[in-house]
Amino acid sequence: AKRKVLLDGLTDFLIKYGFRKKAFTFRRESEEGLLQIIELSLGPSWSIKSGEINLEFGIYSDEWQKFLSRSKKSATLRTPDCEIRDCYCKIVDLGDNHNWYKLSEDPDELIMELISVIKKNIFPFFDKHKTRQDILDSYSVNGPDLGLPPRHKLSIAVLNYGIGNIDEAVTQAL
């Protein structure tokens, strides 16, 4: 019941910023085929995170899906489908709890805290990475700390290829 209250509160907030809700995931297209995703996930019942929720975020691109994924594009894209993910990101301050929150907290207070984290940390990150070119520019400054996985050079080569920078894509891939 508390998770539903949280979800409803976040839905009311995120819809104002152009996000659409699908289950526990919110996404918006910042450029054709480039999605910004925010997800609210529950800690597994068997883990020490049981009874907690995690606020996750990521950036998904059709190019990454086409060239780097083994699966077909899902109708329900989630943060694991993103190439840029908060779990790899070192340029966003996620706080000591790395965006884990106890469900036992007052739902209204928790909604306000989550909205604050989104406004302070996630939205500025998304604002700096609205386009593929923004991501490429940020990578040239931040490298893999941008939030890319260990295969970051290949990720960037694919993104360069997707926008027609073939020479740069080949250079990155080597």
Side-chain angles (χ1 to χ4, degrees):
K2 287 183 181 181
R3 187 176 179 199
K4 176 155 178 22
V5 171
L6 286 174
L7 202 56
D8 290 346
L10 284 179
T11 300
D12 292 343
F13 168 72
L14 289 170
I15 282 179
K16 294 176 190 172
Y17 290 90
F19 285 86
R20 291 179 303 147
K21 178 182 165 288
K22 183 89 168 180
F24 302 101
T25 303
F26 303 89
R27 64 185 189 187
R28 72 177 173 192
E29 193 169 54
S30 61
E31 183 177 78
E32 187 177 337
L34 192 67
L35 301 174
Q36 299 172 335
I37 297 176
I38 296 175
E39 184 173 354
L40 200 61
S41 61
L42 269 178
S45 59
W46 49 263
S47 81
I48 61 171
K49 295 295 185 184
S50 178
E52 295 185 19
I53 57 160
N54 188 14
L55 183 65
E56 301 174 285
F57 68 92
I59 298 177
Y60 166 93
S61 136
D62 284 344
E63 292 89 358
W64 289 326
Q65 174 67 32
K66 181 178 179 181
F67 293 108
L68 301 177
S69 178
R70 292 184 202 145
S71 59
K72 294 188 187 248
K73 183 176 179 179
S74 167
T76 310
L77 293 170
R78 300 180 50 232
T79 51
D81 299 309
C82 297
E83 195 71 4
I84 294 177
R85 294 177 57 194
D86 62 299
C87 60
Y88 301 121
C89 191
K90 294 183 177 59
I91 63 172
V92 175
D93 179 12
L94 299 172
D96 294 337
N97 61 1
H98 195 75
N99 289 347
W100 281 97
Y101 303 90
K102 295 195 181 304
L103 273 173
S104 59
E105 297 176 26
D106 176 284
D108 291 329
E109 284 182 28
L110 189 50
I111 289 168
M112 295 313 297
E113 184 175 354
L114 293 173
I115 287 172
S116 175
V117 168
I118 291 168
K119 282 182 171 180
K120 180 182 171 199
N121 300 331
I122 298 173
F123 279 177
F125 180 80
F126 282 167
D127 288 345
K128 291 178 186 170
H129 303 93
K130 286 182 180 178
T131 68
R132 289 163 178 83
Q133 190 60 55
D134 290 343
I135 292 168
L136 294 170
D137 292 345
S138 182
Y139 180 79
S140 70
V141 172
N142 298 297
D145 289 348
L146 167 65
L148 289 161
R151 65 178 180 200
H152 56 92
K153 288 184 179 181
L154 183 57
S155 304
I156 292 302
V158 167
L159 206 58
N160 268 305
Y161 179 81
I163 63 171
N165 295 341
I166 308 303
D167 290 341
E168 188 62 31
V170 170
T171 301
Q172 278 293 329
L174 299 177

